[in-house]
Amino acid sequence: MQRALLLLLLFTARATAQTPSVDERVDALLARMTLEEKLGQLSQYTPSKPEIPEMVARGATGALFGFGNVTETNTLQRIAVEESRLKIPLLFGHDVIHGLRTIFPIPPGMASTWDPESVELASRIAAREAAAIGIRWTFSPMVDIARDPRWGRIAEGAGEDPFLGSVLAAAYVRGYQGRDLSAPDSILACAKHFAAYGAAEAGRDYNTVDMSERLLREIYLPPFKAAVDAGVWTIMTSFNTVSGVPATANAHLLTEILRDEWRFRGIVDSDFTAVQELIKHGVAATLGDAAIKAITAGVDMAMVDGSYATLAAAVNDGRLPVSVVDRSVRRVLRAKFALGLFEQPYVDESREKSVLLAREHLEAARRVAQKSIVLLRNERDVLPLAKNVATLAVIGPLADSREDMLGSWYAGGKPDEAIALLEGVRAKVSPATRILHASGGTVLSATDEEIASAVSIARQADLVLMALGEQGKMSGEANSRAFLDLPGRQQQLLEQVVAAGKPVALVVMSGRPLTIRWAAENVPAIVWAWFPGTQGGHAVADVLFGDVNPSAKLPVTIPRTLGQVPIYYNSLPTGRPEDPNHRYTTKYIDVPNSPLYPFGHGLSYTRFEYSGLSARAAGGGMVVSAEVKNAGARAGDEVVQLYINDPVATVSRPVRELKGFRRVTLAPGESRRVEFTVAREELRFWGDRGWIFEPGAFNVWVGGSSVGGVGGAVELK
Ligand code: NOJ
């Protein structure tokens, strides 16, 4: 036994002596590189430039992004590995943000599941499909907190809350990167956009951001920190300034916080031409200056603008120490070694066919989409719909659209492979059901005749299902809106169809919260489907017809009207809380402060009741529990949420903060006590110089939304 152990030890010692570590391999390679080859590893391009193959052969680029198939990636990889002097493999990236070919719900839909397992599963599948075509780096997750639905990129993130956003950020990273990065189906994740991009003034994309260090630390940075703690390998900078300093030249963010405080060791990539844009921001006079500023602040790789090629001159004339370049090159090479690209640079081209859109991927996309659909309102139990309804009118510009199911930015997704809502409905109803369909125009326009013909089929029907909202393309990058209502003539269409007097269920599809105040007062059933992905039509029908009991919750507040924006649940109190009877209190004269639907809201076909709150101090933090009962007649999932408030502190604290959530499945009549442990660390806030904990009383609530729930208090020493 002892002898065997000794032999094993000897063997391992020899093996380690023979196999150089990644850092040793990186150093050995770096020592052989010319300055131009080093800068090539820091210069990323899209394949659209015709000179790319020649640049790859010269070692003038080490990373490319935006590919559609495995032949393209393998062809370029062959040039890098067989023709370039040092044979350093290329790293291929892409925006695989909610699936590669099998498209999952858009990120706010993913967040509406409040289910890290679903997020991890979807990103694992996305990684498998991406890797099958040679893409080993995704520019996802976007973990920007967004409190402003005018900002189109709210469609790419997990909503407004730092706690939910952090849990899901970590789940995305685990899913993409897997347990072993060198496995052929693992890819690098990229937490973007660092930082505070979602706070763009007036919700206008790329616009200025100015905020306190406290707001930055408490609200905008936590999901990035969670991604770093989960081991994310890459971070992308944002386009905006943060308090006057562009994020892409921001040493406070990129060096002090990211590297020194958080110990991030991976790659920082600039966003698309963001280094060059330092000139337009007015902090650099030339491309050369911009590149020096960016790399010195901590940006390792420049996307697309070629700016880092100018650094050769800066190094040669002494304006930039070569050690700064070397540091970034090391990070890039480490990632390539960790991915196993030196050992296995190519992809087996025969795998693409069996991996993309595999049956189990489609099944997962449907299950996850079912969990992402939020039931906002269900008066008189209009939902679930009966499958044997005699005549069903399906109305609206989004009813029969496959493309819109995929959202704004869907990598290798193909509209033809998506299931439209109408198709999902047809597959669900009884063979005897007569389905009438009218688009009522497009999302952006309609003629009087189109509206009239929709109204006429509504009159003939027993039930009306409407699908309204935005086109998939109306959200995402560069899609800020200054109005948040239903675009085109959809509001008129809705009002006229409702006036036909039949029971109406409305499905809203959108990449952002829309102000659907009239619908919330006049349409008995409203389902919010975001853009639910390739299997979207089936998933929405599963919910509408009751095969699936909805369980999703809003990850973002839905305002009543644009004038309330920005609106979010975790706001600070004011010295003059809203009081409709007192003029000089914080309020509008024309609308209440409360939103149309609060953060965390989402109904079920059953009813959950909360009771028996218990809260006690434990281990410096607290343990809070409550009893949740399924008080209705159907089995269902509830997302139980824990909120806290610190009523007296040295700085004003939010009226509520989410500190825990759990998805539970309960049979009719079943009860469960759900317990949350909140560590002292999670009760800290950003003081003048750092995180502090202040003892005293805390209020707590457990419930199914950020409003209401069972409340209590606990004293912490
Ligand atoms: C610009 C976007 O801001 C970023 O999110 C994306 O990853 C890059 N373009 C690459 O497509």
Side-chain angles (χ1 to χ4, degrees):
M1 182 62 195
Q2 256 183 355
R3 200 163 156 251
L5 196 66
L6 203 67
L7 276 175
L8 183 72
L9 279 175
L10 264 174
F11 178 78
T12 341
R14 268 181 54 195
T16 356
Q18 278 167 4
T19 329
S21 69
V22 166
D23 286 336
E24 286 164 347
R25 292 176 79 184
V26 166
D27 283 340
L29 187 52
L30 190 67
R32 297 170 55 210
M33 293 171 80
T34 63
L35 181 56
E36 282 68 25
E37 283 165 339
K38 288 176 183 176
L39 296 172
Q41 289 301 309
L42 308 183
S43 299
Q44 181 184 34
Y45 296 95
T46 61
S48 56
K49 270 166 98 88
E51 60 272 37
I52 288 294
E54 176 273 318
M55 288 173 71
V56 172
R58 206 161 24 94
T61 176
L64 297 168
F65 72 99
F67 286 88
N69 70 61
V70 64
T71 325
E72 279 172 19
T73 51
N74 271 347
T75 306
L76 282 160
Q77 190 69 293
R78 211 155 271 130
I79 301 178
V81 172
E82 290 167 24
E83 296 175 30
S84 77
R85 190 178 74 91
L86 293 172
K87 311 193 181 324
I88 302 173
L90 290 166
L91 175 54
F92 295 107
H94 202 23
D95 289 298
V96 183
I97 64 174
H98 49 118
L100 185 276
R101 178 83 163 263
T102 305
I103 303 300
F104 284 80
I106 61 170
M110 295 302 300
S112 297
T113 67
W114 292 54
D115 184 22
E117 278 173 31
S118 293
V119 169
E120 190 172 336
L121 173 70
S123 36
R124 188 91 282 273
I125 289 172
R128 199 179 293 152
E129 293 195 354
I133 64 166
I135 290 161
R136 298 296 299 282
W137 184 9
T138 177
F139 307 133
S140 167
M142 186 188 100
V143 300
D144 295 311
I145 295 295
R147 293 172 155 185
D148 191 332
R150 289 173 297 184
W151 191 54
R153 302 201 80 170
I154 200 168
E156 292 178 60
E160 73 188 36
D161 183 64
F163 184 89
L164 177 63
S166 297
V167 171
L168 300 185
Y172 275 110
V173 172
R174 288 195 303 271
Y176 290 133
Q177 296 188 172
R179 287 217 184 89
D180 171 11
L181 198 62
S182 69
D185 61 354
S186 287
I187 66 177
L188 304 172
C190 177
K192 69 188 190 185
H193 307 81
F194 198 65
Y197 185 32
E201 270 179 17
R204 206 178 71 226
D205 208 1
Y206 318 121
N207 201 11
T208 309
V209 172
D210 204 328
M211 65 169 60
S212 68
E213 189 72 9
R214 176 167 301 117
L215 186 60
L216 181 69
R217 299 281 189 157
E218 292 183 358
I219 302 293
Y220 288 88
L221 293 189
F224 287 98
K225 174 71 163 58
V228 169
D229 289 345
V232 75
W233 268 83
T234 79
I235 301 266
M236 188 187 292
T237 64
S238 56
F239 288 122
N240 52 286
T241 53
V242 181
S243 308
V245 184
T248 303
N250 196 314
H252 175 52
L253 286 172
L254 299 173
T255 299
E256 290 170 16
I257 296 179
L258 187 62
R259 302 283 181 190
D260 299 347
E261 282 181 36
W262 297 356
R263 301 271 151 224
F264 175 67
R265 294 197 65 202
I267 304 169
V268 172
D269 194 9
S270 84
D271 201 345
F272 206 101
T273 62
V275 175
Q276 180 185 313
E277 288 169 30
L278 296 176
I279 301 172
K280 291 215 171 125
H281 274 299
V283 301
T286 62
L287 192 61
D289 286 353
I292 295 176
K293 280 216 158 176
I295 197 165
T296 309
V299 178
D300 300 307
M301 189 181 281
M303 190 187 282
V304 161
D305 54 25
S307 56
Y308 277 16
T310 68
L311 292 174
V315 171
N316 290 333
D317 65 19
R319 281 174 299 146
L320 181 73
V322 73
S323 58
V324 176
V325 173
D326 287 353
R327 187 177 64 184
S328 293
V329 178
R330 276 201 180 86
R331 292 171 183 152
V332 173
L333 295 179
R334 270 188 69 229
K336 291 186 175 183
F337 279 113
L339 283 166
L341 283 174
F342 284 86
E343 288 72 28
Q344 186 49 274
Y346 305 117
V347 174
D348 172 358
E349 299 196 8
S350 68
R351 285 190 64 236
E352 178 178 5
K353 236 179 138 97
S354 60
V355 174
L356 303 191
L357 225 60
R359 193 156 57 107
E360 78 255 30
H361 297 181
L362 290 173
E363 284 165 5
R366 181 163 175 170
R367 279 199 315 275
V368 172
Q370 291 165 346
K371 284 190 183 167
S372 76
I373 295 159
V374 193
L375 178 61
L376 292 181
R377 172 179 160 96
N378 193 17
E379 295 299 301
R380 305 190 298 277
D381 288 341
V382 166
L383 293 176
L385 305 175
K387 289 180 189 165
N388 62 357
V389 51
T391 305
L392 175 67
V394 183
I395 294 173
L398 293 167
D400 195 20
S401 168
R402 289 177 167 186
E403 179 169 9
D404 291 304
M405 298 312 256
L406 303 182
S408 67
W409 192 222
Y410 43 82
K414 298 203 187 314
D416 281 358
E417 292 164 354
I419 307 291
L421 177 59
L422 188 60
E423 295 171 84
V425 169
R426 283 196 205 283
K428 194 62 83 178
V429 292
S430 83
T433 297
R434 190 162 70 110
I435 294 187
L436 307 173
H437 166 242
S439 68
T442 69
V443 165
L444 296 175
S445 65
T447 61
D448 290 347
E449 294 68 39
E450 283 168 322
I451 293 180
S453 82
V455 173
S456 104
I457 68 158
R459 290 211 184 94
Q460 299 166 48
D462 302 294
L463 258 177
V464 179
L465 178 60
M466 295 191 79
L468 305 178
E470 289 188 344
Q471 288 171 328
K473 298 194 212 50
M474 291 177 72
S475 51
E477 190 180 351
N479 279 305
S480 294
R481 282 188 70 198
F483 295 93
L484 292 177
D485 41 8
L486 291 166
R489 293 182 72 191
Q490 292 181 89
Q491 182 63 32
Q492 260 171 289
L493 173 68
L494 174 67
E495 291 183 20
Q496 294 190 24
V497 168
V498 168
K502 302 298 171 66
V504 175
L506 169 64
V507 177
V508 182
M509 288 186 225
S510 173
R512 56 158 59 83
L514 297 175
T515 49
I516 49 160
R517 195 149 53 126
W518 188 91
E521 283 161 11
N522 296 284
V523 181
I526 305 176
V527 157
W528 197 278
W530 299 106
F531 292 115
T534 305
Q535 288 285 295
H538 285 317
V540 178
D542 290 335
V543 167
L544 291 173
F545 291 90
D547 287 340
V548 167
N549 191 353
S551 59
K553 302 278 187 178
L554 291 174
V556 64
T557 303
I558 299 193
R560 295 173 192 271
T561 176
L562 175 63
Q564 294 180 308
V565 168
I567 180 171
Y568 44 91
Y569 85 96
N570 48 0
S571 56
L572 297 188
T574 71
R576 297 188 173 197
E578 181 181 28
D579 180 346
N581 301 316
H582 286 95
R583 179 166 178 193
Y584 295 103
T585 62
T586 185
K587 58 182 168 53
Y588 302 97
I589 57 172
D590 46 7
V591 72
N593 288 357
S594 62
L596 192 59
Y597 294 107
F599 174 82
H601 171 75
L603 304 172
S604 161
Y605 295 148
T606 186
R607 218 160 28 83
F608 296 100
E609 284 174 3
Y610 287 84
S611 62
L613 183 106
S614 138
R616 63 186 163 85
M622 59 170 87
V623 172
V624 183
S625 70
E627 195 85 10
V628 52
K629 178 176 181 191
N630 181 346
R634 296 175 63 119
D637 275 17
E638 168 75 328
V639 178
V640 181
Q641 303 160 39
L642 166 70
Y643 294 90
I644 66 125
N645 156 255
D646 183 351
V648 183
T650 47
V651 297
S652 198
R653 303 302 304 147
V655 292
R656 280 196 183 201
E657 294 174 78
L658 181 72
K659 290 292 172 187
F661 61 89
R662 183 124 4 100
R663 192 175 252 279
V664 293
T665 304
L666 294 175
E670 190 184 350
S671 293
R672 178 135 358 124
R673 179 157 286 275
V674 177
E675 186 178 276
F676 299 95
T677 302
V678 185
R680 195 179 185 89
E681 204 185 76
E682 288 164 42
L683 297 166
R684 295 178 313 175
F685 58 86
W686 188 256
D688 288 340
R689 275 177 299 278
W691 294 102
I692 55 174
F693 172 82
E694 286 183 356
F698 287 83
N699 298 318
V700 300
W701 297 265
V702 175
S705 147
S706 62
V707 172
V710 282
V714 54
E715 185 81 22
L716 300 186
K717 295 220 170 55

